[in-house]
Amino acid sequence: MYAEVVDEADTQFARRVDRQALAAITREMSEVKNGRALWALACQWLGIAASFTFVAVVDRWWAWPIAALLIASRQHAMLALMHEAAHYHFLSNRKVGDVVSDLLCAFPLNMTTVGYRHEHMLHHRYVNTPQDPYWAGQQTDRSWHFPRTPLRATAVFMMDALGLYAPNHLKVVLPWTYWGRLARKGQPKISAAEHVRYWLYVAALVTVLVTTGAWLHWLVLWVLPTTTVMMAFFRMRALGEHPVGETPKGDETRETRDVTGTALENFFVAPLNVHYHLTHHAFPSVPFYNLPVMHKELEKAGLLEDGVNMFDSYLGRENSIREYITRAPKAAAVPVAAPQPESMSQPLHS
């Protein structure tokens, strides 16, 4: 089921996105709709507020883990919205988009939109090559190396959920954070406007915590999920986006994937259409709410192949990411030195 680009003939067979033929619909679907983005953002915060309220009203120990799980899923959605801002199509006004993204998505998760954007654009430009910071980081972290046996794969996600891999994840996000960029661990240099809005955010957060006394709620229901459960969701999503631990063959259309996902999977693992990752790489100017339309265009073009760049679910029995990352070891590619940049084909986007 799981085809790989194994020789030149197979590489030539792989189809490419005909961007010219799809130019008209791409322009139409690239229109930014502020109302859609702001409504999505409001829904995440309403869900978070409801979870905190649930704990306060029920006042039972078992309400805390349920609320933390739900909050982690909405934090994951906030990452998706920060990603939209990184591509400049969260709001039609880019500067306002960065401010809103920072204050209501990035800063609450200890990140910065601009810091994330810098590395994310490198990922798009050099996907699955040594110049891709995501790919390079995963090669040196053995927790990202798959396939594994079902038991060993489960152990990785359990360690994520328990926070045992938190240092690994924090190392990855350090260049995206305010303090990481301040220490010159990430780029670009923090602007004066970012300094001002970051400290306004910190002042507002401390004021709320001091006046409400909700320090424990913030630590257990907000801070803790970002380094535990949310990272387990993030890993499953990332494993569905690009193959890890395999030798890149230079065909981005075979090494980036769309995952249909069930409603429950997409709520926790891939919110706001981020499961259409190949579609996003093919049409990076298209906002999240229009990705399903462009996904159908890829289907019409015959680009999507089950078990290669198209999967039905994350955890299902057939044609799923779970099945792919726990497939028999003999199907795994043998690690080989990274190919030279000149051998890699051009990325999908311009």
Side-chain angles (χ1 to χ4, degrees), residues 79 82 109-112 115-120 123 132-144 160 165-178 180-181 185-187 226-227 231 234-235 237-238:
L79 286 180
M82 180 184 72
L109 298 175
N110 195 32
M111 299 182 192
T112 63
Y116 172 76
R117 177 184 292 132
H118 174 77
E119 284 202 349
H120 190 67
H123 165 66
D132 177 354
Y134 301 169
W135 187 89
Q138 290 169 341
Q139 302 313 302
T140 60
D141 184 347
R142 293 196 61 82
S143 71
W144 285 99
D160 277 332
Y165 277 133
N168 302 47
H169 297 308
L170 290 174
K171 182 180 178 181
V172 172
V173 304
L174 182 62
W176 311 344
T177 68
Y178 177 85
R181 289 172 60 200
K185 301 294 184 181
Q187 299 182 42
T226 63
T227 57
M231 298 316 303
F234 173 81
R235 188 187 295 273
R237 173 168 67 83

Side-chain angles (χ1 to χ4, degrees), residues 29 35 50 85 88 103 123 128 133 142 182 189 197 236:
M29 291 297 105
Y88 294 113
L103 294 176
H123 165 66
N128 280 18
R142 293 196 61 82
L182 195 64
K189 184 179 178 180
R197 61 178 176 260
M236 176 59 74

Side-chain angles (χ1 to χ4, degrees), residues 146 148-158 326:
F146 285 78
R148 296 169 178 251
T149 65
L151 183 61
R152 292 185 64 202
T154 301
V156 169
F157 290 103
M158 287 299 297
T326 60

Side-chain angles (χ1 to χ4, degrees), residues 202-278:
V202 171
L205 174 63
V206 172
T207 299
V208 170
L209 293 177
V210 168
T211 55
T212 62
W215 293 95
L216 181 62
H217 291 75
W218 177 67
L219 289 171
V220 175
L221 298 178
W222 187 264
V223 177
L224 189 61
T226 63
T227 57
T228 55
V229 181
M230 189 185 75
M231 298 316 303
F233 296 154
F234 173 81
R235 188 187 295 273
M236 176 59 74
R237 173 168 67 83
L239 288 171
E241 292 176 348
H242 303 281
V244 178
E246 300 176 4
T247 305
K249 306 300 191 300
D251 186 350
E252 187 180 356
T253 64
R254 293 290 190 92
E255 294 164 357
T256 311
R257 305 157 173 162
D258 279 2
V259 182
T260 302
T262 65
L264 191 62
E265 288 174 341
N266 293 338
F267 181 82
F268 288 101
V269 176
L272 302 178
N273 294 328
V274 294
H275 50 98
Y276 293 125
H277 200 64
L278 171 57

Side-chain angles (χ1 to χ4, degrees), residues 19 22-31 282-283 285-286 294:
R19 293 173 59 83
L22 297 174
I25 191 169
T26 301
R27 282 194 297 271
E28 180 184 353
M29 291 297 105
S30 295
E31 181 184 356
F283 310 104
S285 66
V286 175
M294 302 311 296

